[in-house]
Amino acid sequence: MCPLLCCWRKANILSLSPFFLYRMITRFIEDFYRLKDTNRAEREVLTEFLNSTDGMVTVDDYKVLLEDAGFNVVMQDFSASYRQYTYNRWADWANNRVKYEQLYGKGNYLGWLGQSRTTKQLCCDFGVMAGGYFLARKPGKSAY
């Protein structure tokens, strides 16, 4: 499970102080999510990206988790624009090696190139990962 989601579990929401709960009535969350079940090759790349074998939640899992915590959820998918962004970022790093090695050093350049290649694979080549945001509103009035 995505670490960000841990704070949205129902038990955690219900155990918060009234003042903090008031402040949590509306939340905007932007994050990555998984679009589909993965095959072995896709899982290996996703595990490398997450540096974990826990996997990544699906957009439906994400929405249900927020709804179970009592939020009304509106989701905006920006997968197409993020897919293009990840491709362009990878192409920029791949085509400007000298520039980025001079700016950041060879080791950092190779690290960022690898990260951009991995996100391009997940978003463009495999279609496994996407981005979006959730607007989560807690119904009811505050005490303040």
Side-chain angles (χ1 to χ4, degrees):
M1 177 178 294
C2 177
L4 179 61
L5 290 178
C6 294
C7 68
W8 291 101
R9 290 179 190 250
K10 186 187 290 189
N12 291 345
I13 296 288
L14 295 177
S15 66
L16 296 172
S17 71
F19 178 72
F20 193 67
L21 187 57
Y22 164 73
R23 300 197 60 169
M24 288 187 63
I25 286 178
T26 300
R27 282 293 169 243
F28 175 88
I29 304 166
E30 184 174 305
D31 207 351
F32 300 115
Y33 49 80
R34 186 169 46 86
L35 291 173
K36 63 178 188 170
D37 289 336
T38 55
N39 64 35
R40 183 178 178 157
E42 294 165 343
R43 234 180 347 270
E44 287 174 3
V45 174
L46 186 59
T47 299
E48 177 185 331
F49 178 76
L50 296 174
N51 197 24
S52 167
T53 58
D54 290 343
M56 180 180 274
V57 297
T58 66
V59 66
D60 294 332
D61 294 339
Y62 218 144
K63 188 173 185 224
V64 166
L65 187 62
L66 290 167
E67 289 171 342
D68 285 351
F71 288 89
N72 295 327
V73 180
V74 175
M75 190 270 179
Q76 177 66 46
D77 181 12
F78 55 78
S79 301
S81 62
Y82 191 74
R83 198 173 298 120
Q84 187 62 48
Y85 166 75
T86 60
Y87 182 85
N88 291 344
R89 183 178 57 182
W90 165 78
D92 182 47
W93 280 92
N95 294 325
N96 293 292
R97 181 181 186 121
V98 173
K99 171 187 167 184
Y100 288 119
E101 280 186 356
Q102 288 175 347
L103 282 170
Y104 304 113
K106 186 176 183 175
N108 286 331
Y109 166 76
L110 292 174
W112 281 108
L113 178 64
Q115 194 271 345
S116 66
R117 181 177 40 249
T118 300
T119 55
K120 180 191 78 76
Q121 280 182 304
L122 290 168
C123 295
C124 298
D125 302 343
F126 297 152
V128 169
M129 191 175 79
Y133 70 80
F134 295 88
L135 180 63
R137 288 197 170 104
K138 193 83 145 181
K141 295 182 179 180
S142 74
Y144 300 93

